[in-house]
């Protein structure tokens, strides 16, 4: 066989059948893909895998010893069942085989091996039906890669025997079709075939960071002789992963900064000034700082790529709207006449898009009135200078709606009636709509912009990079402003958004009354729960409004997902399986019935909002609630993002432990937005001391989103271990866990930045330059596929 490289295709190295199985299961195509499929853990031949608490329903791989074997005739059908119990010395797991009595020849009491299959339960006994297995056969055992022949056997002294027992057995993320040992065999073929591997990491960085050469790391992570070998190898590979990721992000940021974009400089005395003059409040320091950074970047001949972080209610939307106005009136030469550019605001849900559209329209309408006033004022003082960019709108525009008419915001969602949608598309294509607000519908093929100058992505974490990218391709290097109300711990920001500049608005506008949050353990303190419902009626009696949030829509439904499965929920925490799943979750339907049945809610207007409703229904309910026609809104998390009803003062969350920390924090941001202090009551049946309960208590303990984000990361770490330990899933990050490796990530970023400073084009590190080229090429291909 000719020597392989990391880029060799797998079929030539491991054979066509295995290669296609690997591709199907894990999308592996090259030797590199396979060798980066790292063992999830290592077992020792001398140590057995604990069998207690294996997760039912999941595919597991365990190292165990056969305890006993028996065969019995089936009672209901013809045939024989072979029952083999395996043990770790404490627990047992039963293997069952139907009509495969011959297996008893291999599976003798005392035999050790690796067993893999899906865990099920039968009469209280955990079992694997028809598992795959590989026994450690005495005659087949190898030492140091050599088969033990008869002659060598005598030489096998105590030490070698111990080495054999100590040699770690890699356990790979596997699937039912492709068990761990098949992957191991493929990996060994690849390692044996591999020619000298060129190490992309420059020598001086390897030395400084105590990182072992790549070839050695790959060998030892897959074929370790002792535990310390794979540990060291894994640390080295982890550093490489962190370093390469940060290098790519920093390089991408530099490239983005170098790309040619269209400057959209601020125009004095125009729309933006009028808008500012009419704002009914002062911008906070954080808003001013972010706005200044954005304004300056928009004026640059390179596209902006900025992330704006700020708590719910910190006033990001105003900052974004100001940016859109700057773009709308920036003089760009072109056939459009006055040459202003367009902005697209991408929102994650229909409700939020509609609300953004409404509040933008209202803000512009309100400012239009003040523009009038401003113009009248300037005219009277003869200060009306000649404004070349605005001659055509000053004279003959309809009075009173100057801003609105010039900006012509439109809404585009996929659920709009056809005629309305067509009109919106036309205004977008002709360039007359300068601000376009929409959902994913904005990404679809039929949407083309006349001159897309700025993209604003609201609740950035709800979208993937690909979606940001898909919208970006609708313009010629447009400026990008991503916004998120979910505070992101620094290391996560570095990993997920390392190619973006960041602005943070830390304070809330003055005069906000803040939110008080309490955990209400309904099982321990049933009286508190009752008090919560009464408290809601008191708020209503005082003229204020209440949200009640439930995890499910109806009794027979599971937790509600997002409206659009492509968006996904940002927190994987809810739904810890096991006991909690047995009890039905509080649903909107049931809560509605309960409240309507209560005498003290007799005069209270109660409505419901869920993602299952039609958009018109949803919009009607939201309007009614916003108008104060409904007092209490029972809803799912459709209200999570951005909904703004300042008169809502209280929120009750049922089964609050079903939500993640950041989700709860988002949710409670819906109350306390007006002049009334907010109150948030988190009802839970989670037991004290559980992670679920800790999440609730963390949310109750602080309203500082950044502090919560760090806490979330800590708690989620346990979830990680529990949730993904046995699954064969694949993620882009192999060894890096942002929760655990924050320091490493920061350090790797420094090392990468220093290298790029020394050698921006990586002339001294051709391997790394090649890696970046490969990634850029991949991105280009992905983009091509999308456009
Ligand atoms: P975010 O999008 O960050 O959650 P919004 O931009 O929706 O916040 O702002 C929430 C509310 O606060 C809006 O009603 C907005 O008009 C108001 N607001 C924004 N900035 C200020 C400010 N500096 N002072 C007072 N109110 C403000
Ligand atoms: Mg917002």
């Amino acid at each position: 066989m000719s020597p392989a490289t990391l880029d060799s295709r797998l079929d030539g190295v491991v054979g066509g059948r295995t290669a296609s199985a690997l591709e199907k299961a894990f999308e592996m195509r090259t030797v590199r893909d396979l060798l980066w499929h790292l063992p999830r853990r290592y077992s020792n031949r001398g140590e057995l895998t604990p069998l207690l608490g294996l997760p039912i329903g999941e595919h597991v791989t365990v190292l165990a010893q056969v305890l006993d074997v028996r065969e019995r005739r089936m009672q209901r059908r013809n045939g024989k069942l072979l029952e083999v119990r395996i043990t770790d010395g404490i627990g047992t797991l039963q293997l069952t085989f139907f009509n495969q009595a011959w297996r008893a020849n291999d599976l003798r009491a005392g035999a050790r091996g690796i067993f893999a299959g899906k865990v099920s339960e039968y009469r209280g006994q955990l079992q694997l039906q028809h598992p795959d297995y590989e026994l450690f056969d005495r005659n087949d055992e190898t030492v140091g890669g050599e088969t033990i022949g008869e002659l060598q056997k005598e030489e096998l002294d105590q030490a070698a025997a111990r080495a054999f027992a100590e040699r770690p057995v890699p356990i790979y993320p596997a699937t039912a079709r492709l068990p761990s040992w098949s992957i191991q065999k493929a990996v060994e073929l690849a390692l044996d075939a591999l020619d000298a591997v060129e190490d992309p990491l420059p020598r001086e960085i390897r030395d400084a960071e105590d990182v072992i050469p790549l070839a050695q790391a790959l060998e030892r992570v897959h074929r370790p002789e002792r535990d310390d070998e794979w540990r060291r190898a894994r640390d080295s590979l982890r550093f490489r992963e962190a370093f390469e990721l940060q290098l790519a992000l920093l390089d991408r940021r530099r490239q983005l900064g170098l790309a040619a974009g269209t400057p959209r400089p601020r125009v004095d005395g125009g729309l933006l000034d009028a808008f500012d003059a009419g704002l009914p409040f002062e911008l906070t320091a954080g808003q001013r700082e972010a706005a200044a950074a954005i304004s300056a970047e928009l004026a640059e001949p390179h596209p902006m790529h900025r992330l704006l972080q700020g708590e719910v209610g910190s006033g990001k939307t105003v900052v974004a709207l100001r940016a859109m106005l700057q773009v709308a009136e920036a003089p760009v030469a072109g056939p459009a006449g006055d040459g202003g550019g367009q902005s697209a605001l991408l929102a994650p849900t229909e409700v939020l898009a509609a609300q953004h559209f409404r509040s933008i329209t209202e803000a512009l309408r309100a400012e239009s009135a003040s523009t009038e006033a401003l113009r009248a004022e300037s005219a009277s003082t003869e200060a009306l200078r000649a404004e070349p960019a605005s001659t055509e709108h000053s004279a003959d525009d309809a009075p009173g709606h100057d801003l609105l008419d010039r900006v012509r915001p439109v809404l585009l969602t996929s659920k709009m009636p056809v005629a309305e949608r067509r009109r919106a598309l036309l205004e977008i294509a002709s360039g007359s709509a300068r601000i376009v607000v929409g959902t994913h519908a904005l990404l679809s093929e039929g949407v083309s912009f006349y001159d897309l100058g700025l993209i604003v992505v609201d609740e950035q974490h709800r979208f993937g990079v690909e979606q940001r990218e898909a919208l970006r391709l609708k313009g010629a290097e447009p400026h990008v402003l991503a916004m998120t109300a979910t505070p992101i711990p620094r290391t996560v920001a570095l990993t997920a958004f390392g190619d973006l500049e960041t602005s943070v608005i830390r304070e809330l506008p003055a005069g906000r009354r803040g939110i008080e949050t309490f955990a209400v353990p309904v099982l321990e303190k049933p009286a508190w729960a009752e008090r919560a419902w009464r408290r809601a009626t008191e708020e209503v009696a005082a003229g204020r409004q209440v949200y009640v949030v439930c995890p499910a829509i109806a009794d027979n439904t599971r937790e509600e997902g997002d409206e659009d499965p492509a968006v996904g929920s940002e927190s994987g925490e809810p739904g810890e399986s096991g006991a909690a799943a047995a009890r039905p979750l509080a649903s909107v339907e049931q809560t509605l019935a309960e409240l309507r049945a209560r005498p003290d809610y007799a005069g209270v207007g109660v409505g419901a909002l869920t993602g299952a409703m039609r958009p018109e229904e949803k919009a009607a309910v939201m309007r009614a609630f916003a108008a104060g026609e409904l007092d209490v809104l029972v809803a799912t998390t459709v209200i999570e993002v951005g909904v703004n009803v300042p008169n809502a003062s209280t929120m009750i969350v049922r089964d609050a432990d079903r939500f993640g920390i950041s989700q709860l924090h988002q949710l409670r941001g819906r109350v306390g937005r007006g002049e009334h202090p907010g109150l948030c009551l988190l009802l839970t049946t989670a037991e004290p001391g559980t992670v679920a309960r800790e999440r609730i208590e963390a949310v109750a303990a602080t309203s500082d989103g950044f502090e919560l984000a760090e806490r979330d990361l800590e708690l989620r770490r346990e979830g990680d271990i529990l949730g993904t330990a046995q699954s064969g899933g694949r993620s882009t990050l192999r060894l890096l866990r942002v929760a655990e490796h924050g320091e490493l990530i920061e350090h790797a970023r420094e090392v990468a930045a220093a290298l790029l400073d020394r050698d921006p084009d990586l002339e001294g590190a051709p391997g790394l330059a090649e890696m970046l080229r490969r990634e850029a090429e991949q991105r280009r291909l992905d983009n091509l596929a999308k456009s």
Side-chain angles (χ1 to χ4, degrees):
M1 194 189 299
S2 65
T5 69
L6 289 175
D7 292 309
S8 298
R9 293 181 47 89
L10 276 175
D11 48 6
V13 178
V14 302
R17 272 175 68 123
T18 309
S20 75
L22 287 167
E23 172 152 13
K24 208 175 235 155
F26 300 108
E27 292 170 36
M28 295 175 188
R29 281 172 203 98
T30 63
V31 168
R32 184 194 319 278
D33 296 337
L34 176 60
L35 293 185
W36 268 100
H37 187 73
L38 302 178
R40 182 195 312 128
R41 59 193 164 80
Y42 299 82
S43 289
N44 286 97
R45 284 176 169 77
E47 281 168 26
L48 305 174
T49 313
L51 297 177
L52 278 177
L54 286 178
I56 292 171
E58 289 195 30
H59 190 268
V60 299
T61 304
V62 298
L63 198 156
Q65 184 162 27
V66 175
L67 182 66
D68 54 27
V69 181
R70 73 189 182 113
E71 195 182 47
R72 63 181 176 85
R73 195 157 280 290
M74 302 278 285
Q75 284 154 3
R76 303 249 170 92
R77 45 203 267 231
N78 274 335
K80 284 181 177 173
L81 196 65
L82 185 69
E83 290 175 335
V84 178
R85 284 197 304 161
I86 58 173
T87 181
D88 59 354
I90 303 168
T92 63
L93 181 65
Q94 180 150 289
L95 318 179
T96 57
F97 301 92
F98 183 62
N99 278 351
Q100 295 187 352
W102 53 271
R103 291 192 186 274
N105 297 333
D106 297 339
L107 293 164
R108 295 166 180 282
R112 282 176 174 226
I114 311 179
F115 304 85
K118 191 169 155 186
V119 184
S120 57
E121 195 178 2
Y122 182 70
R123 296 194 176 153
Q125 165 76 56
L126 290 185
Q127 63 171 15
L128 307 179
Q129 283 182 24
H130 287 228
D132 287 309
Y133 58 88
E134 177 104 330
L135 298 174
F136 301 144
D137 180 353
R138 287 268 153 236
N139 299 319
D140 197 32
E141 282 174 351
T142 59
V143 171
E146 301 291 312
T147 302
I148 307 163
E150 285 305 318
L151 286 174
Q152 286 165 292
K153 250 182 181 151
E154 288 166 28
E155 294 161 32
L156 192 68
D157 60 7
Q158 284 291 90
R162 202 165 48 241
F164 175 77
E166 275 178 5
R167 194 160 73 236
V169 180
I171 307 289
Y172 289 91
T175 67
R177 288 276 179 79
L178 206 58
S180 179
W181 53 86
S182 300
I183 297 170
Q184 186 184 353
K185 279 176 190 148
V187 165
E188 297 204 351
L189 281 175
L191 285 173
D192 290 341
L194 203 57
D195 200 7
V197 175
E198 250 187 74
D199 195 328
L201 199 62
R203 182 65 192 262
E204 75 270 13
I205 294 183
R206 257 187 286 150
D207 289 348
E209 303 301 326
D210 195 23
V211 165
I212 61 177
L214 181 58
Q216 197 181 2
L218 289 173
E219 175 70 29
R220 290 185 173 174
V221 83
H222 291 293
R223 278 199 290 218
E225 293 289 329
R226 294 182 316 274
D227 284 344
D228 58 338
E229 287 189 353
W230 64 255
R231 288 209 176 88
R232 177 103 199 276
R234 206 149 76 162
D235 287 347
S236 284
L237 291 174
R238 184 179 293 122
F239 175 83
R240 288 169 186 274
E241 183 169 41
F243 173 82
E244 288 173 9
L245 179 68
Q246 292 303 331
L247 188 74
L249 288 167
L250 287 168
D251 181 63
R252 178 164 153 76
R253 181 154 111 175
R254 198 175 124 248
Q255 301 294 347
L256 288 170
L258 292 175
T262 310
R264 314 275 178 177
R266 175 164 184 168
V267 173
D268 282 334
L271 303 180
L272 188 47
D273 279 359
F275 178 80
D276 280 347
L279 268 182
F281 45 71
E282 293 269 301
L283 294 180
T284 63
Q287 282 174 314
R288 278 201 304 275
E289 212 171 284
I294 291 166
S295 178
E297 276 179 340
L298 289 175
E300 293 282 325
H302 307 291
M304 167 177 82
H305 289 271
R306 184 166 283 273
L307 177 71
L308 177 58
Q309 285 192 63
E311 290 271 350
V312 172
S314 61
K316 297 181 296 297
T317 311
V318 182
V319 174
L321 181 53
R322 291 182 78 266
M324 295 191 277
L325 289 174
Q326 175 167 335
V327 169
E329 65 178 338
V332 177
D338 62 357
Q342 295 172 287
S343 298
L345 194 165
L346 179 63
T349 65
E350 301 260 334
V351 171
L352 188 54
Q355 186 173 302
H356 268 310
F357 176 69
R358 210 165 38 243
S359 64
I360 286 175
T361 308
E362 274 161 22
L364 294 177
R365 183 174 291 133
E367 306 321 331
S368 293
S370 60
T371 320
E372 279 289 284
L374 205 73
R375 197 182 295 145
E377 200 178 293
S378 16
S380 70
T381 56
E382 300 298 322
L384 192 60
R385 295 149 294 159
E387 283 174 20
S390 58
T391 41
E392 86 293 350
H393 78 84
S394 52
D396 46 283
D397 258 6
H401 295 296
D402 183 51
L403 274 163
L404 207 52
D405 280 347
R406 286 210 52 203
V407 173
R408 297 186 79 86
V410 299
L411 177 67
L412 188 79
T413 71
S414 53
K415 290 171 184 162
M416 275 163 64
V418 179
E420 218 176 297
R421 183 179 159 80
R422 199 173 296 141
R423 201 172 55 226
L425 286 175
L426 203 63
E427 294 198 26
I428 298 169
S430 71
S432 66
R434 296 282 165 79
I435 293 183
V436 181
V437 181
T439 55
H440 293 82
L442 287 178
L443 309 178
S444 65
E445 268 176 46
V447 184
S448 73
F449 288 83
Y450 181 76
D451 174 22
L452 181 58
L454 169 66
I455 293 167
V456 180
V457 185
D458 195 17
E459 306 302 341
Q460 159 72 36
H461 64 287
R462 296 288 203 105
F463 296 96
V465 176
E466 318 81 53
Q467 286 159 317
R468 195 169 84 204
E469 204 56 31
L471 189 51
R472 223 169 63 80
L473 292 169
K474 292 190 182 278
E477 295 290 347
H479 300 282
V480 179
L481 178 64
M483 304 199 290
T484 175
T486 312
I488 307 168
R490 187 177 145 72
T491 52
V492 178
L494 284 184
T495 311
F497 308 112
D499 55 348
L500 304 181
E501 308 280 342
T502 311
S503 292
V504 182
I505 305 180
R506 282 187 186 277
E507 71 271 67
L508 293 181
R512 277 296 151 67
R513 299 295 302 276
I515 306 167
E516 274 200 294
T517 305
F518 298 96
V520 180
V522 297
L523 296 180
E524 295 146 62
K525 311 266 184 197
W528 290 14
E530 178 52 29
R531 179 83 193 93
W533 297 113
R534 258 185 293 126
R535 180 63 207 262
T537 63
E538 289 163 21
E539 289 292 314
V540 170
R544 296 191 273 279
Q545 289 163 285
V546 177
Y547 294 105
V548 178
V549 182
C550 303
I553 299 179
D555 284 353
N556 53 0
T557 57
R558 295 200 40 77
E559 275 148 278
E560 184 181 49
D562 206 279
E563 295 175 50
D564 184 335
V567 181
S569 112
E570 99 273 23
S571 54
E573 305 129 290
E576 280 156 34
S577 57
R583 194 179 51 82
L585 295 170
S587 71
V588 170
E589 203 172 76
Q590 167 210 346
T591 305
L592 205 58
E594 277 174 30
L595 292 185
R596 285 184 173 154
R598 286 178 67 116
D600 55 342
Y601 277 68
V604 177
V606 185
L609 186 73
T610 74
M613 288 159 58
R614 283 178 296 127
E616 314 85 72
E617 282 182 290
K618 272 194 278 188
V621 170
M622 267 325 292
R623 255 197 314 275
F625 189 68
E629 290 154 23
L630 288 172
D631 302 307
V632 176
L633 186 62
V634 183
T636 55
T637 53
V638 285
I639 63 149
E640 176 187 352
V641 177
V643 169
N644 188 17
V645 178
N647 191 47
S649 63
T650 301
M651 173 175 287
I652 297 177
V653 185
R654 301 191 76 180
D655 283 323
D657 47 283
R658 306 304 286 187
F659 302 101
I661 285 185
S662 62
Q663 215 175 2
L664 288 172
H665 184 61
Q666 288 267 0
L667 277 168
R668 72 176 161 180
R670 305 298 115 222
V671 296
R673 291 172 78 87
E675 57 195 299
H676 314 293
L679 174 67
C680 177
L681 302 171
L682 303 174
L683 273 52
T684 177
T685 55
E687 313 253 329
T690 58
V691 173
R693 180 72 169 266
E694 274 189 63
R695 279 204 299 263
I696 307 257
E697 276 158 13
V699 176
T702 177
S703 55
D704 182 329
F706 285 89
E707 198 180 316
L708 273 180
E710 300 288 349
R711 185 85 185 99
D712 192 11
L713 207 52
E714 276 168 36
L715 288 174
R716 214 184 277 206
R717 186 159 154 185
E718 297 177 39
D720 255 354
I721 292 162
L722 295 174
T724 57
Q726 290 280 350
S727 78
R730 173 184 155 163
S731 73
T732 18
L733 289 180
R734 309 297 175 129
L735 290 168
L736 220 46
R737 297 285 169 272
V738 281
E740 254 168 285
H741 305 124
E743 272 177 41
L744 174 66
I745 292 171
E746 300 232 15
H747 177 65
R749 188 172 178 91
E750 281 164 24
V751 178
L755 175 64
L756 284 173
D757 275 350
R758 281 199 304 277
D759 183 3
D761 296 322
L762 298 174
E763 279 163 9
L768 292 176
E770 173 57 27
M771 180 198 85
L772 295 182
R773 260 195 301 280
R774 211 166 45 228
E775 290 193 4
E777 177 62 12
Q778 189 56 50
R779 224 174 11 247
R780 201 182 63 81
L781 291 178
D782 291 350
N783 287 345
L784 273 183
K786 255 175 257 147
S787 59

